[in-house]
Amino acid sequence: MVTVYAEDNPILPVPTYCPDVDPEDRTIHLAHEYDCTKFYKCIGGNKVELLCPFMDKAKTRRLHFNKVLQVCDLPARANCNSPAVQTTPRSKDEWTPEWTCGNRPVGTYLPHKTRCHLFYQCTSYGQVLQRCAEGLVFNPYAQVCDKSGKCVVTDVCKDYRNTEGSYLPDPLSCKNVYYCKEETTEKYSCDENAEWSTQSDKCLPADQANCSRKL
């Protein structure tokens, strides 16, 4: 149970998804799937992964995300029980974050690092890239493609399926842009005094780019 004090402002019910339209009165944050020191910031329906700050001067330990208060907090207060910090054995239907087959049994399926609709099948001769049907994403917990939305990928282009590349502006910076391809994501930055223009699909002088994204 999360510790809540009188001066706290708990957010209930606890957010579990990013709305398509951001609320005007607050920013929505989501707990990370398996790392207590990480969380997501919701921007225009998209999840942007962020990291909690260090809690000691030696920079050896980080704060944990408190999903009720929507802030990074002391671990004792946050009471995060994500798989990454659990000390008890996990049940067999829980997915341990791994991206390569290694010594995993033949027939195991693993998520792709950057795309929700891609996954790998572990075979006796290596891992084979597979694709989910249109409208489905790979669910590593159930080991199937479904509509559950249980994609563990955090890449900014995770939902991109086209074979042709396309630019995606950085939701947090006017300086950066991502080039999404079917399997890869490339990040580019505009030169000093330039910003990315979504209208022109190129870097322009800051006073011409007309960028209004949050920084």
Side-chain angles (χ1 to χ4, degrees), residues 80-190:
C80 173
N81 59 356
S82 294
V85 297
Q86 288 181 343
T87 56
T88 55
R90 294 189 288 271
S91 62
K92 63 180 180 180
D93 60 343
E94 287 184 332
W95 177 73
T96 302
E98 292 189 44
W99 306 103
T100 57
C101 288
N103 295 322
R104 297 179 75 87
V106 171
T108 300
Y109 298 105
L110 298 177
H112 192 270
K113 280 188 176 182
T114 63
R115 297 294 178 270
C116 289
H117 72 287
L118 300 179
F119 63 98
Y120 292 105
Q121 179 181 4
C122 299
T123 70
S124 58
Y125 48 87
Q127 57 189 42
V128 179
L129 182 65
Q130 304 282 5
R131 291 170 173 78
C132 293
E134 188 69 28
L136 304 180
V137 300
F138 179 67
N139 180 344
Y141 304 96
Q143 292 277 284
V144 296
C145 292
D146 60 22
K147 295 183 178 180
S148 66
K150 292 184 177 180
C151 173
V152 296
V153 179
T154 60
D155 188 276
V156 68
C157 299
K158 65 179 182 179
D159 297 319
Y160 192 80
R161 290 175 175 253
N162 298 336
T163 55
E164 297 294 329
S166 178
Y167 289 107
L168 179 66
D170 188 325
L172 294 177
S173 172
C174 291
K175 300 287 293 184
N176 304 324
V177 64
Y178 297 90
Y179 189 64
C180 307
K181 298 180 181 179
E182 185 183 17
E183 298 181 30
T184 60
T185 301
E186 300 172 2
K187 183 178 181 180
Y188 299 96
S189 297
C190 296

